[in-house]
Amino acid sequence: MMRIAAAILSAGMALSATAVSAQEWPSKTIKLVVPYAPGGYTDSVARITARYLEKELGQTVIVDNRAGGGGIVGSDLVAKSPGDGYTLCICSVGAISVAPVAQTTSYDPVKSFKPVSVVSTIPQTVIVNPSLPINTMQDLVAYAKANPGKLSYGSSGAGGLMHYSVQLFDARNGTKMTHVPFKGGSPATAAVVSGEVNLSFTNMTDALPQMEASKVRALAVTSAKRNEFAPQLPTVSETVTPGYSVESWNGVMAPASTPDPIIAKLSDVLKKMAADPEVKKSMAVVGASTVFTTPDEYKAQIAAEVEQWRELLKEIAEKKN
Amino acid sequence: MTDVFALLGHGFAVAATPINLFFCLVGAICGTLIGVLPGLGPVATISLLLPATYALSPVSAIIMLAGIYYGAQYGGSTTAILVNIPGESTSVVTAIDGYKMAQQGRASEALAIAAIGSFIAGCIGTVVIALLGPPLALMTQQFASPDYFSLMVLGLVSAVVLANGSAFHAIAMIFLGLLLGMVGMDLNTGEARMTFGLVELSDGINFVALVMGLFGVAEVISNLEGASVRIVNQMRIGTIWPSFKALRGAWGAVLRGTALGTLFGILPGGGATIASFSAYALEKRVAKDRSRFGNGAIEGVAGPESANNAAAQTSFVPLLTMGIPTSATMALMVGALTLHGIAPGPMIISRQPDLFWGLIASMFLGNAMLVIINLPMIGIWVRLLAVPYRLLYLAIVVICAIGVYSVNNSSFDVYMTVGFSLLGYVLRKLDAEPAPLLMGFVLGPMVEENFRRSLITSHGDPMIFLQRPISLALLLVSVALLISIMMPAVRQRRVEVFQE
């Protein structure tokens, strides 16, 4: 009897201990790791998020840039950090959903993290050099089919999202285009402008200024829905490839051992953030749409994306054999 | 033409407002300071100050950030000359003759010519942006991968000219550099090469760690090895101005360096580095007495320093006219502009004339401020050499470590510096100069990247390098340079043959 009572008591204490720690959280400075260099797109999103978290949680939130390996170094660091709610990550699709499939990472995209919420999304834009006789997505598919291997596309490097989105496009449409990797998305976009490559599935932020100056011709966006910043552009899905959806996202993730109450509290704050007009305005400046997802939705999304890229790689490998 | 001057006048009206003048000065001072501290580069500083610019107007913010960038080019030569630690790839060659000058007690002469050369180059570079910015930007668009490949080949050939010792050592060092440059993720396949499974190496070896080890700490080790304390500067501190004779000798070097820097600075990826290396190579080719190089030739400081500063100004051209960043620092500038709601792109000149012309005008003012700040500082820097070496070396090592850490906030990079220090010491014992190694390290990955990309776009046809006029011209210059390097050796052998 005593033993049962003791067990109940200690269980209760253990429960209240986590409850207290979540209630007290945050009691010190929070570190928000950005696995990319300062000044870039993810960094901007992180700084907007950090400013909002600081205001809502009443604690200092420092942005810690840990660039390297296309986001793997910083994401890995967070996966291995103590799950006390004081180390968080502004992770991105490349290092979480693509890299673990394309290469070996010491973290597992689903098991090593507790996702909290996607905070922003940005689609890719299909841009072509204006000298090409390609004005629509239908033209693109027809031209690619008539000239297999002739069209070249620039990417931010092998195994990056800009590379895989075209591979997926090729696989779904039975086309074949030549991959030309660059060091980053910005030189790849510049190569479409100069005509060194024919086209690219480029991040919208990079594409917009060149579109406005008519240096490139934009054909479509890669997301499932049309984009608020270029509503005139159709989606790839509604034109030639039904069901096609590739979107770049940034979201807050915590190490897997982080207690659920902390995740819940963070989720509430991020839900409020997604509705904040100031935040929406700042995100719009960098070309991002402000988004909120629940931890479960976020987890399911990552699992689905990992599955999609795994399937694609298998398909490509089978075709080669 | 009158249009340009009217617009430039408007730019001066923007740049000369007290608030913008103030931030231009802040940028210039910050830039000089970080340039002087080894390892701390403009990239780390600008990213640190980026959040602080939220509160400023976009014009003030970009004026300050630009000031940091070209200010660092002024300051970067200081440590290269005084303690043989180039802060950036662009001042690697400055260290060769600059450090020799300091050892001969001519540190102030070297520092003064670096500042004056930088000032002249900065002003000329700015005029070029104002007058020719947009047409020059169109010219860079003619450059495709094959042309970059040939440009890099030219750079590698010039690296042989750099060497003051044996050509064999120089070539060996270039290849070692190429090899080190191969480490990291292969762009075309995403495979990791020579990383030993270390994620930290997947982006390649950190340049700052390599330089701080090979130059900075290795220099400290070999200085400590010699029992006697280093030669302390004997020159009277009062005479900071180089003698008239020295200035006259350096005048041509400044102008040639400026021309090279202005031209190469516009090209994306390593343009400024190639400019400073080829400026040194050029000076050595045109000099009547080549043996002075490597032994404290003032042209060896004046040429590269003018080249890197001119390049620092003109590297803004692709960013401001097309929205294309050409280096990590320029990518940060893009970030800064976007944070202020300005999308850098082809429309920026017509949409943001205040920003474009204000920035250009601020570059004139900033260069003037820098030369005013830097000339009196020379006395202070030179006095630094009088600090007992047992204290000075500790400071050097600590600052190097902080500088290396600050690049990626990574302690792995600091350990790498330790490894490269030992390598640097061994190379020193073997009489192998580290400058060609760095040239190989910097250019190697770009050679490979552009070579493979050229072949992908040409579907495997190597003739692409000869069919493009720019590429062909650059390759011909490389061959001519290579022959002119071999010639003296051949002639000498013939003389020997005749004597027998």
Side-chain angles (χ1 to χ4, degrees), chain A residues 37-40 43-44 47-48 51 63-73 76 102-103 106 149-152 156-159 163 178-184 186-187 189-191 193-194 196-197 205 209-210 212-215 285-287, chain B residues 43 47-48 50-51 54 138 141 143-146 148 185-191 199-200 202-203 322-325 331-332 334-347 351 405 408-411 445-446 449-450 453-454 456-457 459:
Chain A
D43 185 59
S44 310
R47 287 176 198 274
I48 295 165
R51 259 191 295 175
V63 171
D64 188 4
N65 295 92
R66 300 286 182 137
I72 296 177
V73 174
D76 190 45
Q103 45 200 281
S106 57
K150 282 275 165 61
L151 284 178
S152 59
S156 57
H163 175 204
T178 304
H179 178 217
V180 184
F182 288 81
K183 263 199 170 118
S186 162
T189 311
V193 175
S194 73
E196 188 173 358
V197 296
T205 332
Q210 308 298 340
E212 282 177 24
S214 304
K215 298 273 183 190
V285 165
V286 293
Chain B
V43 178
S47 56
L48 220 67
L50 208 54
Y54 277 132
L138 284 179
Q141 285 210 294
F143 263 72
S145 304
Y148 282 114
M185 198 183 288
D186 172 28
L187 197 63
N188 290 52
T189 60
E191 291 295 321
V199 198
E200 287 87 350
S202 58
D203 279 348
M322 293 184 300
I324 293 164
L332 277 173
V334 172
L337 287 174
T338 347
L339 280 178
H340 282 100
I342 297 170
M347 312 295 276
R351 269 194 209 158
Y405 182 80
N408 288 329
N409 298 341
S410 149
S411 41
M446 293 193 253
E449 189 190 329
N450 287 298
R453 194 183 298 136
S454 305
I456 291 174
T457 41
H459 300 280

Side-chain angles (χ1 to χ4, degrees), chain A residues 194-279:
Chain A
S194 73
E196 188 173 358
V197 296
N198 302 123
L199 72 144
S200 166
F201 284 35
T202 294
N203 224 337
M204 185 137 218
T205 332
D206 289 340
L208 273 177
Q210 308 298 340
M211 282 158 58
E212 282 177 24
S214 304
K215 298 273 183 190
V216 296
R217 188 180 296 137
L219 306 181
V221 291
T222 58
S223 48
K225 290 191 196 124
R226 288 191 181 207
N227 186 269
E228 53 189 305
F229 303 112
Q232 77 281 7
L233 288 182
T235 64
V236 174
S237 175
E238 72 183 78
T239 48
V240 287
T241 325
Y244 183 93
S245 165
V246 175
E247 203 168 34
S248 183
W249 52 256
N250 284 110
V252 175
M253 297 176 83
S257 57
T258 311
D260 285 329
I262 291 181
I263 301 287
K265 193 167 175 184
L266 250 178
S267 174
D268 288 344
V269 175
L270 292 177
K271 189 172 184 180
K272 261 172 82 182
M273 180 174 113
D276 188 277
E278 273 295 303
V279 170

Side-chain angles (χ1 to χ4, degrees), chain A residues 109-134:
Chain A
V110 182
K111 288 184 195 135
S112 306
F113 299 96
K114 266 199 184 139
V116 187
S117 173
V118 174
V119 293
S120 67
T121 58
I122 187 163
Q124 291 179 337
T125 314
V126 182
I127 53 168
V128 297
N129 184 282
S131 67
L132 283 172
I134 297 174

